[in-house]
Amino acid sequence: MSILKNLFTAVRGGTSSIGEAIVDANAIRILEQEIRDAENAIARAKQNLTGLKASEIKLKREINTLNNDYLDYEAKAIEALNLGQESLAEEVAERLEDIASERDDKSAEHRALESEVNGINKLIRSRERIIQKNKRELEKVKTIKEIQKATTSISNNVAATGSCQHRVSDALKRVKNKQQNWRDKMEAGEWMDQQESGGDLESRLKNMGIGGTKTSRKSAILEQLKAKQKGN
């Protein structure tokens, strides 16, 4: 995403300190808009991908039809030969050649389209993970901002009203609770990253002794080969 790029762009061309102040004041709003734009782009990409996938499915169906036609005419050609109708069999062979040529062309087109669909789908999934990560980062920024507001509010209230120690203590507890919630969200975000990358699963499998070593896999493969040798 181009979030940081847009923030820095807003600073260029003017007084640095003024530009930075403007960006800082509107940073969260800019980040939110960037995320919305990215989500809209992903939605449009999914619509386009749906159209490509439909074309791929159509091609696959046409190829299956051509395969069935080929088998049908092939059987007819053999039947013509069995009846001694070699000239008729030659006509059928020409038809088989046309079907095979069309089938090969469509198969090549289908393979290319299938590869493109898979590539685009993989790219979309990757961008979606990035968007989710940025949304979590934005939540952290919002939380820190609220903590800063709460801390500032406490300081101002204490200075202005001379609140008693008990009220100050209660206010600090509330701030600490918010800070703990922020830490919890950070920990949850890290856990989510592990889930997406498969790291948590691999860790649990390793702790349970599941997965084996290279030596055990080698032994298992050797045993399978021996079993196949006996079967033959």
Side-chain angles (χ1 to χ4, degrees):
M1 294 177 64
S2 57
I3 296 175
L4 293 178
K5 179 180 177 182
N6 286 350
L7 293 178
F8 291 131
T9 300
V11 177
R12 290 202 305 264
T15 304
S16 178
S17 59
I18 297 176
E20 289 176 357
I22 294 174
V23 171
D24 290 345
N26 297 277
I28 291 178
R29 193 173 303 171
I30 294 172
L31 291 170
E32 288 175 333
Q33 184 61 49
E34 284 282 349
I35 290 174
R36 283 194 295 270
D37 291 344
E39 288 178 328
N40 291 335
I42 288 293
R44 292 192 297 271
K46 284 183 175 180
Q47 290 179 347
N48 294 335
L49 179 61
T50 300
L52 288 176
K53 185 64 178 179
S55 298
E56 180 200 331
I57 293 172
K58 181 182 178 182
L59 272 174
K60 184 64 175 177
R61 185 173 61 252
E62 291 173 350
I63 292 169
N64 290 336
T65 299
L66 289 170
N67 283 331
N68 292 333
D69 289 346
Y70 189 93
L71 293 175
D72 182 49
Y73 277 103
E74 188 177 53
K76 291 176 180 178
I78 294 173
E79 185 177 355
L81 289 173
N82 290 335
L83 294 173
Q85 298 293 326
E86 186 169 345
S87 61
L88 181 59
E90 289 179 357
E91 291 183 24
V92 178
E94 291 179 1
R95 177 57 181 155
L96 285 171
E97 183 181 11
D98 293 339
I99 293 174
S101 178
E102 184 179 0
R103 180 186 59 187
D104 292 344
D105 289 342
K106 287 186 179 295
S107 295
E109 184 180 355
H110 176 265
R111 286 192 298 271
L113 185 56
E114 183 181 34
S115 176
E116 185 176 358
V117 167
N118 291 336
I120 293 174
N121 183 56
K122 184 178 180 180
L123 181 61
I124 288 175
R125 301 305 170 209
S126 174
R127 293 298 181 267
E128 283 182 325
R129 288 193 293 271
I130 293 174
I131 290 172
Q132 292 304 316
K133 181 178 180 180
N134 285 333
K135 289 175 77 172
R136 291 193 297 271
E137 290 296 327
L138 180 58
E139 286 300 318
K140 293 177 186 179
V141 172
K142 287 182 176 180
T143 302
I144 294 174
K145 185 175 182 179
E146 289 302 318
I147 292 173
Q148 291 173 334
K149 285 183 179 180
T151 305
T152 302
S153 176
I154 291 170
S155 299
N156 291 339
N157 288 338
V158 170
T161 63
S163 301
C164 66
Q165 184 64 35
H166 178 71
R167 292 180 61 188
V168 173
S169 178
D170 287 344
L172 288 173
K173 286 180 181 179
R174 289 194 296 271
V175 173
K176 288 180 180 179
N177 287 336
K178 288 185 178 181
Q179 291 175 337
Q180 185 61 51
N181 289 338
W182 172 59
R183 294 190 189 99
D184 291 342
K185 287 186 177 181
M186 288 183 64
E187 184 176 350
E190 293 172 355
W191 176 85
M192 182 63 72
D193 288 338
Q194 288 183 347
Q195 294 297 314
E196 293 176 348
S197 63
D200 183 66
L201 174 61
E202 293 298 329
S203 177
R204 286 186 285 121
L205 288 173
K206 183 176 180 181
N207 292 336
M208 294 295 295
I210 298 174
T213 63
K214 293 183 178 179
T215 303
S216 63
R217 288 198 297 270
K218 178 180 178 181
S219 299
I221 292 172
L222 184 59
E223 290 299 323
Q224 291 176 359
L225 292 174
K226 289 180 178 179
K228 288 184 179 180
Q229 183 184 36
K230 292 178 180 179
N232 294 331

